[in-house]
Amino acid sequence: MVLALRYLGSACGRARGGFPGGFSVACGPALGRPWPLCQGGRRASTSSFDVVIIGGGIVGLASARALILRHPALSIGVLEKEKDLAIHQTGHNSGVIHSGIYYKPESLKAKLCVQGAALIYEYCNQKGISYKQCGKLIVAVEQEEIPRLRALYERGLQNGVQGLRLIQQEDIKKKEPYCRGLMAIDCPYTGIVDYRQVALSFAQDFQDAGGSVLTNFEVKNIEMARESPSRREDGMKYPIVIRNTKGEEVQCQYVVTCAGLYSDRISELSGCNPDPRIVPFRGDYLLLKPEKCYLVKGNIYPVPDSRFPFLGVHFTPRMDGSIWLGPNAVLAFKREGYKPFDFSAGDIMDVVTKSGLIKLVSQHFFYGVNEMYKACFLSATVKHLQKFIPEITISDIRRGPAGVRAQALDQDGNLVEDFVFDGGVGVIGNHILHVRNAPSPAATSSLAISEMIADEVQRRFKL
């Protein structure tokens, strides 16, 4: 797969109708709910904006912040469907600040991750946001993993990851006394942080600079403003209308969508190509019981399987002192399905009939079955964890939280690992930029990604 910035040239003409449970926006104090300010800033007093960002996750908020810092004279609004910000992918991830070791050298993902990690550390220092640079070991426990581990080490060096070194068994024990392994990569630059706290700080920066954040608003469609005597002036200045299920609306000049799990559906609302489709993968975590947390000091990861974007079940310390074990990677039966039995017939029909899921399943059937088995039976996951820390037993763990990853999938069943921007052609297409895919580690890379998005917005819209 080509790991590079990709653009979709779609026929982005007449807007289409809405979808049940779709993404949300807000359009003023009487519409939806203004997000409460911590201090300073201003509340929205208008239903018209120069630029609207749809999506209040970490990428949307970072992009809004970058745009308003570059263009302080513009009126910019962030519009979010939930009553709170950053509660889905941002609020359900492991909190790891990745170093950039995994990604193809010279790729956009590698560059953005290395840059993004440095920017996140710098931002947290400036804002007084707590983090821990606790490091990470990527551990080979089988002889056949060592060539892959060495290749990964060379990749990290090419990517400019700081402080990498290959260590042997005795040094593994010094770093992680209870971890066994034949060889490991020591990544001291890896850290942990509460990404929701970071995202909310981005939102505060945005509001302090004059931006507006509004929540609790469900989009039904996005279309060009219709001519009428009462709205002729606004319709010329703010040609895009975003309407909700209640018939309320906002107008704007330009739209940027960072809709995560709903990025394909939001693009369809403006008449754009629905591909690549989003397939939701749930990742279940286990929790190490508090009395056993002494077994893990920092992040402990397996040598990854290069065929998949998932990094494997790993040990992750959290800012609150807990230890998360996981995640697995199983198909979620609902786009925001954080529980095993969460189900949406519409979401499943979308995935089965409109994406390349069947081809993906046929290519990786046994991998999928193994992940489902581990999700159902804790003993299978514990057996894997014991390869690294033999002292862990099934009585030491309990089921924990879960997250859902928005994985873009093309019609051939290939996992889309590059960044995908979509605007399309036609009148409405000249006013919209869809961020269709911001692949992991988007949270680590969020500040670097936001600068790239701000560059693209400036280039497209001539701000």
Side-chain angles (χ1 to χ4, degrees):
M1 283 176 271
V2 178
L3 301 181
L5 184 61
R6 183 153 65 92
Y7 301 93
L8 297 181
S10 59
C12 191
R14 183 174 56 85
R16 301 177 187 175
F19 54 87
F23 221 79
S24 328
V25 298
C27 51
L31 309 176
R33 182 174 71 92
W35 192 66
L37 294 169
C38 298
Q39 58 182 11
R42 66 175 175 84
R43 292 190 181 277
S45 58
T46 176
S47 60
S48 299
F49 299 94
D50 294 314
V51 181
V52 161
I53 292 93
I54 298 178
I58 195 167
V59 173
L61 293 169
S63 299
R65 175 182 177 273
L67 282 170
I68 203 163
L69 292 179
R70 287 194 191 188
H71 307 283
L74 295 181
S75 60
I76 302 177
V78 169
L79 312 168
E80 161 63 35
K81 81 179 177 73
E82 303 292 353
K83 66 178 182 178
D84 294 308
L85 297 171
I87 65 171
H88 287 297
Q89 290 189 100
T90 304
H92 286 82
N93 68 42
S94 62
V96 175
I97 303 173
H98 289 281
S99 64
I101 190 173
Y102 294 106
Y103 315 112
K104 183 178 177 181
E106 300 300 320
S107 68
L108 193 58
K109 283 183 71 174
K111 291 176 182 178
L112 290 174
C113 185
V114 172
Q115 293 170 8
L119 291 171
I120 283 289
Y121 282 129
E122 181 183 2
Y123 182 83
C124 289
N125 286 331
Q126 290 174 351
K127 297 292 181 177
I129 296 173
S130 297
Y131 66 87
K132 296 177 183 177
Q133 196 172 321
C134 54
K136 172 169 67 178
L137 294 184
I138 303 173
V139 183
V141 295
E142 305 290 348
Q143 197 68 38
E144 57 265 28
E145 293 177 333
I146 290 179
R148 285 160 46 205
L149 186 77
R150 290 185 182 276
L152 187 62
Y153 171 71
E154 293 299 327
R155 173 172 284 193
L157 293 179
Q158 291 179 61
N159 288 343
V161 178
Q162 298 181 25
L164 291 182
R165 62 190 185 115
L166 278 173
I167 60 175
Q168 306 299 322
Q169 293 182 27
E170 58 272 19
D171 288 323
I172 293 174
K173 288 291 184 184
K174 290 177 183 177
K175 298 281 291 187
E176 292 285 352
Y178 297 93
C179 179
R180 66 174 288 269
L182 303 176
M183 185 182 291
I185 300 172
D186 179 15
C187 307
Y189 199 59
T190 300
I192 55 173
V193 73
D194 181 341
Y195 277 119
R196 184 159 189 262
Q197 183 183 3
V198 174
L200 295 183
S201 182
F202 291 165
Q204 187 63 57
D205 292 346
F206 172 67
Q207 288 182 310
D208 289 346
S212 302
V213 178
L214 297 110
T215 57
N216 258 353
F217 209 87
E218 186 177 348
V219 170
K220 182 179 180 181
N221 57 32
I222 304 172
E223 62 185 10
M224 297 299 295
R226 295 184 179 91
E227 288 291 336
S228 70
S230 63
R231 70 188 306 170
R232 185 169 297 158
E233 185 176 338
D234 275 356
M236 292 177 64
K237 186 176 180 182
Y238 305 108
I240 302 295
V241 177
I242 303 171
R243 189 170 291 108
N244 77 347
T245 53
K246 301 173 184 176
E248 301 163 332
E249 63 185 44
V250 294
Q251 290 181 259
C252 59
Q253 291 191 63
Y254 304 107
V255 180
V256 180
T257 72
C258 300
L261 284 160
Y262 292 99
S263 62
D264 53 346
R265 292 182 178 179
I266 283 291
S267 70
E268 281 192 279
L269 291 185
S270 61
C272 291
N273 191 330
D275 293 320
R277 288 284 180 181
I278 294 299
V279 177
F281 282 91
R282 192 182 75 251
D284 301 307
Y285 287 93
L286 303 176
L287 294 178
L288 197 58
K289 289 183 177 178
E291 61 268 25
K292 292 290 184 175
C293 286
Y294 69 88
L295 293 171
V296 179
K297 289 188 173 182
N299 294 281
I300 303 173
Y301 277 62
V303 180
D305 186 332
S306 60
R307 296 173 298 167
F308 305 101
F310 313 109
L311 299 180
V313 173
H314 45 267
F315 302 76
T316 300
R318 300 279 293 176
M319 291 301 297
D320 62 3
S322 62
I323 304 293
W324 285 16
L325 315 172
N328 55 13
V330 297
L331 179 67
F333 298 117
K334 186 179 180 181
R335 292 212 180 196
E336 293 167 0
Y338 298 107
K339 298 178 182 178
F341 298 106
D342 285 347
F343 181 84
S344 165
D347 288 350
I348 288 299
M349 285 298 293
D350 255 8
V351 166
V352 172
T353 63
K354 297 180 181 180
S355 75
L357 178 66
I358 301 302
K359 293 180 180 179
L360 177 69
V361 170
S362 65
Q363 294 165 14
H364 305 291
F365 178 76
F366 291 107
Y367 177 88
V369 169
N370 185 51
E371 290 296 296
M372 291 293 290
Y373 181 78
K374 287 192 293 185
C376 295
F377 299 99
L378 289 185
S379 58
T381 302
V382 170
K383 185 176 180 181
H384 173 78
L385 294 171
Q386 287 172 336
K387 292 180 180 180
F388 301 89
I389 299 183
E391 284 83 355
I392 288 180
T393 67
I394 196 166
S395 63
D396 296 330
I397 63 174
R398 58 184 176 87
R399 292 194 181 275
V404 178
R405 172 176 176 155
Q407 178 61 57
L409 192 68
D410 68 20
Q411 291 296 324
D412 294 323
N414 298 313
L415 300 171
V416 179
E417 283 302 296
D418 53 0
F419 289 83
V420 180
F421 285 172
D422 189 3
V425 297
V427 178
I428 196 170
N430 295 329
H431 294 266
I432 297 180
L433 173 65
H434 295 291
V435 182
R436 297 293 300 274
N437 193 41
S440 180
T444 298
S445 307
S446 56
L447 285 171
I449 291 171
S450 71
E451 293 300 322
M452 181 182 71
I453 291 172
D455 288 343
E456 182 63 15
V457 167
Q458 193 163 328
R459 186 189 72 82
R460 288 195 178 210
F461 302 151
K462 306 294 190 294
L463 296 181

